[in-house]
Amino acid sequence: MENNYHVCTGCALLCDDIEVGSEKNKINKVFTACRIGMAHMKEGKGEAIFRVDNKSVDEATAINEAVTILRNAKKPLIFGLGASTSETQKIAIKLAKKINATLDDNSSFCLGGVVETLIKNEMKTCTLDDVRNKADVIIYWGTDPSDSHPRLLSKYSYFPRGKEKQRGWEEERTAIAVDVRKSHTAKISGNYFFQIPPKGDEEFIDAVIAGLSGKLPKTSYNYPPKKLLELANILKGAKFGVIFVGCGLIYSLESLESLSRLMKVLNEKANIHLMAMVGNYNSMGFNENLFAETGYLNSVKFENGIVKHGPEYSIVESLKAKTVDAALIVDSDPFSILPRSIVKNLQEIPVVSIDPYETLTSRHSKVYINTAISGVEAGGTATRMDRVKVSFEPVIEANRPSDEAILKKIMEAL
Amino acid sequence: MTNAMELYQMLPKTNCKKCGKASCMAFAVVLMARELKPEDCPPLVEEPKYKENYEKISNIFKPSENATETGLIVHEDLCFGCGNCVVACPPNVANDPHGVGSGNAPTNPNKLVLTVQDGIVKAQNLGECRRFGKNKILCNGCIVTCPVEAIEFV
Ligand code: SF4
Ligand code: SF4
Ligand code: SF4
Ligand code: SF4
């Protein structure tokens, strides 16, 4: 086995230590990747598929049709891009400018708010390598990385030896889970699993803050004060702590105010960092790229050189209000992730889907263009969940075009 | 993973006692516990009509065959390759501190007990496992770190 490492684009950890075996341009063996990563790497093999109205066509026909849809649209929407390379994202942003489109990604209904505080340097954060090298207290809050980012505990946060953590997890690290259910990660946290009722996060935060200031921590759901004080004490003693924030926490909070307050109080007494459990491998990259271009992370609308921003330009609100009349969906499956009532409105407008995978969205699209899997059949760069840039080369040769190439062609034709 | 009932279904079900057990069901139970091996049932090995079942049963016990010395079994259907056990296993750390011990890809695979291949943990080099040999101890590093109880010792 030669040490020729590849990057896995199966999730936002972008594990960079994957070895593969391949035969006849097909990956048949994957080392060190988790099961999600393994399935993702082995997926690459596809022949190009182009469809219009569910009939196979050639590439030129599919692109023509996509161009016609976008040209005829008065208020097009571009959505997705969390699982696209930064290069692809930048073309999509240009395209959105050119056709006066609304542009949004998943972050508008998940972690966008937290990611914004990180990109704007309003919360203390660090890299995953810092976590590995230094972290003594690790909190997984409203997230189950064991399922969503399977190697987060083993590669970076809990189990590995790090520069300043040579004696191992049993002695030198404490893993804590706060969640509404006993997730796989909570199980690993053992006695430091804090189970709270749904929507109980805000009060829990306040109680921890009370505990940190030596007051009796109270909650309406009578969380044992002794356990809360124990938690406050662990946090107070943290030399290098990190909170991994998941959608579970964000969905339960009215605003990020309480989380900011917690971080402030914590950092008066200890050294605590925050990280967002971004799911798609380059969601962070999308937010950064759009921010660099417009000053916003998501939910924007371009109008003759001006950028508008607000919740009304998110995919959910713009579909709800029917303020878009065509959609270009790149590497995302809104038909599966959005509520039925919203998807209904997406069904009423022409959809162009560009995606390596057949999805519910691709099946409901007027135009479907099947593209190379980035990280497996196409190269590029992406931003890891801790904002570290990672670049990758294709592992095998692609039989289908990259989404970058397709977007370029659409752009030129417009 | 299979249970004794499923093993029983694949046995001759004649209760001939040639295996030294009172019934095929009793044999299935000890087979499951790995006290006996599939080839300890003579009819299963000898009679052509059981050939297919013999192969099936042998296959069930094959993946963990080399693990029987320490009794380590990986439930491949449960394991999702998170690597927790790989990184926590003490001999893995000792033999490859900068590779698996630091959460990375193995750099010394010939000395490692646990590695992840094709998204599932593989046990090998069991001579290195702390549960093996004269000075064996009841190490449970790979058990307590697994979120899904995919590793078991029998
Ligand atoms: S944890 Fe994520 S990046 Fe790492 S191997 Fe698994 S899917 Fe790939
Ligand atoms: S030898 Fe085989 S057939 Fe006979 S009792 Fe034992 S298991 Fe059943
Ligand atoms: S019992 Fe201990 S030494 Fe053996 S494989 Fe498990 S963790 Fe490693
Ligand atoms: S056996 Fe458990 S801890 Fe080890 S890789 Fe599989 S799921 Fe993870």
Side-chain angles (χ1 to χ4, degrees):
Chain A
M1 213 198 302
E2 54 184 285
N3 290 354
N4 186 4
Y5 294 131
H6 300 283
V7 171
C8 173
T9 49
C11 77
L13 279 188
L14 291 169
C15 293
D16 54 2
D17 58 351
I18 313 299
E19 287 160 293
V20 303
S22 62
E23 204 182 317
K24 295 201 183 109
N25 201 35
K26 174 148 176 46
I27 295 173
N28 56 11
K29 188 95 191 155
V30 180
F31 297 92
T32 313
C34 70
R35 200 185 272 245
I36 300 177
M38 180 270 295
H40 179 74
M41 307 277 301
K42 283 192 177 175
E43 194 66 42
K45 64 176 179 308
E47 297 294 326
I49 302 169
F50 306 96
R51 277 197 319 247
V52 173
D53 290 322
N54 281 319
K55 280 189 223 52
S56 288
V57 297
D58 60 8
E59 180 180 327
T61 311
I63 289 184
N64 269 339
E65 186 63 31
V67 168
T68 307
I69 291 173
L70 294 175
R71 191 177 283 141
N72 292 341
K74 292 201 173 59
K75 298 165 290 178
L77 163 73
I78 301 180
F79 175 78
L81 296 150
S84 316
T85 61
S86 286
E87 291 75 8
T88 306
Q89 293 168 349
K90 285 176 189 163
I91 300 174
I93 296 172
K94 275 203 194 112
L95 180 63
K97 262 190 186 165
K98 185 165 182 174
I99 60 175
N100 284 334
T102 299
L103 176 61
D104 191 28
D105 81 327
N106 279 355
S107 69
S108 67
F109 52 89
C110 190
L111 290 164
V114 185
V115 171
E116 183 167 358
T117 64
L118 297 174
I119 288 184
K120 291 184 173 166
N121 294 321
E122 291 167 358
M123 291 246 209
K124 189 163 173 174
T125 187
C126 60
T127 66
L128 288 167
D129 305 275
D130 293 333
V131 175
R132 164 160 59 198
N133 287 329
K134 303 180 199 166
D136 53 356
V137 177
I138 305 120
I139 307 183
Y140 308 99
W141 198 324
T143 173
D144 185 12
S146 295
D147 282 7
S148 58
H149 301 61
R151 293 184 69 204
L152 178 63
L153 276 74
S154 69
K155 190 169 163 62
Y156 291 112
S157 61
Y158 189 31
F159 296 113
R161 307 282 160 133
K163 285 203 184 83
E164 295 168 31
K165 288 281 164 281
Q166 282 297 319
R167 275 180 300 147
W169 56 283
E170 306 98 314
E171 285 180 52
E172 290 189 302
R173 300 200 208 255
T174 308
I176 296 165
V178 185
D179 212 331
V180 294
R181 64 186 180 96
K182 187 162 184 182
S183 66
H184 286 140
T185 308
K187 214 178 137 231
I188 295 297
S189 309
N191 286 337
Y192 296 121
F193 166 43
F194 295 82
Q195 187 163 16
I196 57 174
K199 289 266 167 199
D201 299 80
E202 191 111 35
E203 272 192 66
F204 195 81
I205 289 178
D206 285 332
V208 173
I209 292 175
L212 286 166
S213 341
K215 290 187 212 122
L216 189 70
K218 272 190 255 168
T219 54
S220 66
Y221 42 87
N222 291 324
Y223 203 91
K226 223 178 121 199
K227 273 212 86 178
L228 273 163
L229 283 173
E230 189 189 354
L231 176 60
N233 270 331
I234 297 173
L235 293 173
K236 235 189 256 178
K239 294 205 174 59
F240 194 106
V242 55
I243 307 179
F244 289 100
V245 172
C247 292
L249 171 57
I250 297 311
Y251 286 150
S252 141
L253 298 179
E254 291 293 325
S255 77
L256 289 178
E257 186 273 332
S258 48
L259 187 59
S260 316
R261 207 150 30 87
L262 175 67
M263 284 295 285
K264 196 165 161 275
V265 178
L266 279 172
N267 278 304
E268 282 160 11
K269 305 178 191 282
N271 177 24
I272 310 279
H273 307 78
L274 194 116
M275 220 178 276
M277 289 298 295
V278 176
N280 285 328
Y281 85 82
N282 199 22
S283 218
M284 187 56 94
F286 177 82
N287 293 146
E288 285 183 346
N289 288 326
L290 190 60
F291 183 77
E293 191 66 37
T294 67
Y296 305 109
L297 277 79
N298 53 35
S299 313
V300 297
K301 181 169 167 42
F302 292 97
E303 239 172 54
N304 307 320
I306 314 168
V307 192
K308 295 179 167 179
H309 166 78
E312 65 273 32
Y313 304 117
S314 70
I315 183 167
V316 173
E317 294 306 325
S318 52
L319 282 174
K320 214 190 255 172
K322 301 197 183 187
T323 51
V324 287
D325 61 358
L328 171 65
I329 313 281
V330 187
D331 300 325
S332 181
D333 185 13
F335 272 82
S336 312
I337 50 188
L338 294 180
R340 205 46 238 127
S341 60
I342 308 278
V343 166
K344 205 177 77 241
N345 295 355
L346 187 53
Q347 258 168 319
E348 287 171 8
I349 60 177
V351 173
V352 178
S353 154
I354 300 179
D355 204 303
Y357 300 105
E358 287 274 3
T359 62
L360 218 50
T361 303
S362 74
R363 282 196 284 275
H364 281 94
S365 296
K366 183 151 175 66
V367 180
Y368 172 49
I369 299 177
N370 173 284
T371 47
I373 304 175
S374 47
V376 181
E377 299 161 312
T381 52
T383 307
R384 210 163 67 176
M385 58 182 266
D386 58 351
R387 302 193 62 203
V388 168
K389 301 257 181 305
V390 179
S391 50
F392 42 84
E393 301 286 326
V395 185
I396 54 172
E397 230 174 89
N399 299 319
R400 37 189 181 177
S402 67
D403 42 13
E404 188 183 345
I406 293 293
L407 282 185
K408 266 189 193 147
K409 284 186 185 168
I410 291 180
M411 180 91 167
E412 278 159 20
L414 274 162
Chain B
M1 191 58 196
T2 341
N3 57 34
M5 200 58 209
E6 284 170 41
L7 290 176
Y8 169 73
Q9 296 296 351
M10 287 183 268
L11 291 172
K13 293 191 258 192
T14 55
N15 299 335
C16 74
K17 302 193 174 69
K18 284 187 192 152
C19 57
K21 293 285 154 191
S23 65
C24 294
M25 191 61 214
F27 180 74
V29 172
V30 291
L31 193 58
M32 190 66 210
R34 289 177 166 69
E35 284 166 30
L36 290 179
K37 297 205 168 98
E39 42 284 12
D40 291 323
C41 164
L44 189 64
V45 182
E46 285 154 18
E47 292 182 35
K49 60 177 169 189
Y50 302 129
K51 187 167 176 273
E52 204 179 308
N53 279 354
Y54 176 44
E55 279 168 11
K56 266 195 214 152
I57 297 184
S58 304
N59 271 334
I60 293 174
F61 289 93
K62 210 194 222 147
S64 49
E65 217 170 44
N66 49 359
T68 49
E69 289 151 303
T70 58
L72 188 154
I73 301 176
V74 175
H75 297 299
E76 298 196 345
D77 49 336
L78 294 177
C79 172
F80 60 98
C82 68
N84 290 359
C85 58
V86 175
V87 181
C89 169
N92 267 16
V93 178
N95 292 330
D96 191 12
H98 300 293
V100 293
S102 300
N104 295 317
T107 60
N108 187 13
N110 299 331
K111 283 254 176 193
L112 301 179
V113 187
L114 303 170
T115 57
V116 172
Q117 297 178 19
D118 284 331
I120 296 168
V121 76
K122 289 275 169 309
Q124 68 227 338
N125 307 316
L126 281 151
E128 299 286 328
C129 173
R130 299 226 164 149
R131 290 191 174 228
F132 187 79
K134 270 207 301 293
N135 301 320
K136 64 180 173 192
I137 56 162
L138 222 56
C139 175
N140 62 1
C142 52
I143 301 173
V144 297
T145 55
C146 179
V148 291
E149 284 153 32
I151 292 187
E152 194 187 350
F153 285 89
V154 292

